[in-house]
Amino acid sequence: MEVLNKIWKFLRSMRFGIGLLIVIALLSVVGTVIPQGKSPDWYAAAYPRFHSLFLTLGFHHLYQSWYYVALLALLSLNLTLCTVTRLRFLLRTGKEEAVHAARLPVMQQLSPQQTDAVRRYLRERHCVEREIEGVSMFSKFRFGRYGSFLTHLGILLTVLLGAAALYLPQVQDLSCVPGESIALDDGMQIFVRDFSIEDSAGKLDYASNIRVTLPNGRESDFKRISVNTPMSFGPYKIYQQQYGVAGAITVHDGETGTEDTFTLTEEVLLTKDSVSGVWYHGVGESTVDENGELSLTAYRPESDQSPIYVLEVMENGGRQQKYALPGSELEVGDLTFYVEDPVLYPGLRIKHTPHAVNALLIAAFAVMTIGLYITFFMQPVLVKLTDEGYTVAGTKPEGMRVELEQLLEEEDSGAPGKEKR
């Protein structure tokens, strides 16, 4: 039983709670500094010396790691125990506090003139006066006893709802070609005006200019989002996640004279009759390996290599692989295929957090703020006053003790500039 009591006291102790907060804060800094959700290859390139350690410790998905979730659970337990324990104490002692104070011995002896001065002072402070067991009891801000309880409750709700805001949002990864829109199942739309991989100074920085339209029709202004600067609008948060390379081919129909430009993000057959046409397989760049052999790898727009289109021509029942540079053209029957410069398009991550979570999180902050204000600026006053003297009681008597001691000093000294009591 003694061991269980020690464990109980430790779990609800302030020292344990502060320790948890420090560890969680440090881990959160790590999760902010190290980008989350990237592939192992990305971490190997970005952190060549430490990527194995980062992956072993789960720093690539830190907020979903078991130990981070366990720390949040322990902090919630600590705050819950502190809150419940504090409330039980307040409810148990609240009704008997004034009666208990009335039975306390006189702490400070007073003369009749000093007693009148203290009485006037307490009345000027708008303290409520009542008689309990034959003595005068002055009280004010009795609800101030609950300031620490409200503070603990606000912190607890903030942690719980913060965890809900972290783990409950629905996440979708979508791609969109500049100049087009994407739509979610609930009707929310994102229009991508443009995308770039460098900022104005030429520094590598993936960024998109987007406009969001909510399901209710409310529309945002265009906003630039980058890897470290997401956009929040309504219950949505949009991140610049990655980018892709799309091929662009203009097809001219010599028979009808029509012409269309196709932006291609996946393998597709460009044809008029499903018999002849051009298969688009992708865009790459040429590299030379250690043996001097030429091969194609994924195209990187930040490199100095020219993009190479991997195509396959279907004509007269045969298929022939072709490599084409931007600016070249292919003729297949009545169709002419013009190879354009590839188009870069962004990969966006959209997080949708329920309205209730955000609203309740704001309410939790409000409860915590109110609790802190009451704790520091509305400290409860409870003073027993008799003809012999007074006693200051309550959970935080120090402030009132100091005030009354200063009052009596002024009464005794008759300080200039002070009204003689």
Side-chain angles (χ1 to χ4, degrees):
M1 183 62 70
E2 183 177 353
V3 175
L4 292 178
N5 288 334
K6 289 183 178 180
I7 295 175
W8 172 266
K9 290 180 180 180
F10 175 73
L11 289 176
R12 63 183 177 87
S13 66
M14 182 179 294
R15 179 180 300 178
F16 181 55
I18 292 176
L20 288 171
L21 282 173
I22 292 174
V23 175
I24 291 172
L26 291 176
L27 288 175
S28 299
V29 171
V30 173
T32 302
V33 173
I34 299 177
Q36 301 291 294
K38 303 292 186 180
S39 65
D41 293 340
W42 187 93
Y43 292 99
Y47 308 98
R49 296 180 59 187
F50 303 103
H51 74 279
S52 296
L53 178 63
F54 289 173
L55 295 176
T56 301
L57 295 177
F59 285 173
H60 58 308
H61 54 78
L62 190 145
Y63 300 117
Q64 285 74 37
S65 63
W66 67 267
Y67 54 86
Y68 193 86
V69 175
L71 287 170
L72 289 178
L74 287 173
L75 180 61
S76 299
L77 176 62
N78 173 263
L79 292 172
T80 301
L81 294 177
C82 290
T83 303
V84 172
T85 302
R86 185 64 183 168
L87 180 60
R88 289 177 58 189
F89 171 78
L90 293 173
L91 294 176
R92 186 175 67 251
T93 60
K95 297 180 180 179
E96 302 175 355
E97 186 179 36
V99 175
H100 176 72
R103 297 172 181 173
L104 293 174
V106 172
M107 179 184 67
Q108 178 67 47
Q109 299 291 331
L110 298 176
S111 66
Q113 293 82 5
Q114 290 176 326
T115 300
D116 291 339
V118 171
R119 191 183 304 274
R120 286 197 304 270
Y121 179 77
L122 293 175
R123 288 174 177 173
E124 289 171 359
R125 288 278 309 268
H126 304 290
C127 294
V128 177
E129 182 179 2
R130 55 180 176 162
E131 185 172 324
I132 299 177
E133 296 191 358
V135 299
S136 297
M137 293 298 303
F138 291 84
S139 62
K140 187 179 181 181
F141 295 142
R142 295 294 303 280
F143 58 86
R145 304 170 66 249
Y146 295 90
S148 60
F149 163 74
L150 289 176
T151 302
H152 279 92
L153 180 62
I155 296 174
L156 173 62
L157 293 176
T158 300
V159 171
L160 294 176
L161 292 169
L166 184 62
Y167 297 112
L168 288 184
Q170 299 176 350
V171 180
Q172 285 186 268
D173 291 334
L174 299 174
S175 300
C176 183
V177 175
E180 298 182 2
S181 297
I182 53 174
L184 274 63
D185 294 338
D186 61 3
M188 187 272 256
Q189 294 185 356
I190 300 175
F191 174 76
V192 179
R193 183 169 64 184
D194 54 59
F195 171 73
S196 62
I197 64 170
E198 293 181 346
D199 59 17
S200 57
K203 183 180 178 182
L204 194 64
D205 184 28
Y206 308 142
S208 305
N209 279 301
I210 65 172
R211 182 181 62 205
V212 176
T213 303
L214 298 180
N216 60 8
R218 181 184 168 201
E219 190 174 79
S220 72
D221 295 328
F222 279 101
K223 183 174 181 179
R224 181 180 184 273
I225 64 170
S226 59
V227 174
N228 296 315
T229 309
M231 173 186 180
S232 296
F233 190 64
Y236 299 91
K237 200 165 189 177
I238 300 97
Y239 299 82
Q240 176 64 61
Q241 183 73 1
Q242 55 186 359
Y243 76 91
V245 180
I249 297 179
T250 299
V251 182
H252 177 79
D253 189 339
E255 181 180 0
T256 62
T258 58
E259 187 173 278
D260 288 303
T261 300
F262 298 91
T263 303
L264 311 170
T265 58
E266 58 185 14
E267 292 190 10
V268 66
L269 173 62
L270 301 175
T271 180
K272 183 170 70 172
D273 54 13
S274 300
V275 175
S276 60
V278 170
W279 269 100
Y280 166 80
H281 291 294
V283 179
E285 63 181 40
S286 62
T287 59
V288 179
D289 59 21
E290 298 177 354
N291 299 322
E293 296 182 359
L294 186 67
S295 62
L296 285 179
T297 60
Y299 175 63
R300 296 172 300 139
E302 64 270 20
S303 71
D304 296 330
Q305 298 291 328
S306 298
I308 299 175
Y309 280 66
V310 182
L311 307 173
E312 194 173 2
V313 176
M314 295 177 56
E315 190 175 18
N316 300 323
R319 301 177 68 158
Q320 182 181 8
Q321 191 174 41
K322 294 280 188 180
Y323 296 104
L325 293 172
S328 59
E329 62 182 68
L330 300 171
E331 292 188 6
V332 181
D334 295 332
L335 301 178
T336 303
F337 297 85
Y338 299 96
V339 179
E340 313 285 357
D341 289 324
V343 176
L344 302 181
Y345 63 92
L348 305 177
R349 172 163 290 182
I350 301 101
K351 287 188 176 181
H352 177 220
T353 303
H355 282 289
V357 173
N358 292 328
L360 291 174
L361 188 57
I362 294 174
F365 273 113
V367 171
M368 182 174 63
T369 304
I370 292 172
L372 290 171
Y373 182 85
I374 292 175
T375 299
F376 290 104
F377 299 104
M378 292 186 173
Q379 295 185 0
V381 175
L382 189 61
V383 181
K384 168 188 174 180
L385 184 63
T386 67
D387 294 336
E388 292 80 17
Y390 71 83
T391 297
V392 180
T395 55
K396 297 181 179 180
E398 293 80 9
M400 180 53 65
R401 284 176 183 169
V402 172
E403 290 185 31
L404 293 181
E405 287 172 0
Q406 291 177 345
L407 172 69
L408 295 177
E409 288 178 2
E410 294 173 2
E411 287 293 323
D412 293 339
S413 62
K418 301 287 183 180
E419 179 182 353
K420 184 67 178 177
R421 297 183 185 275

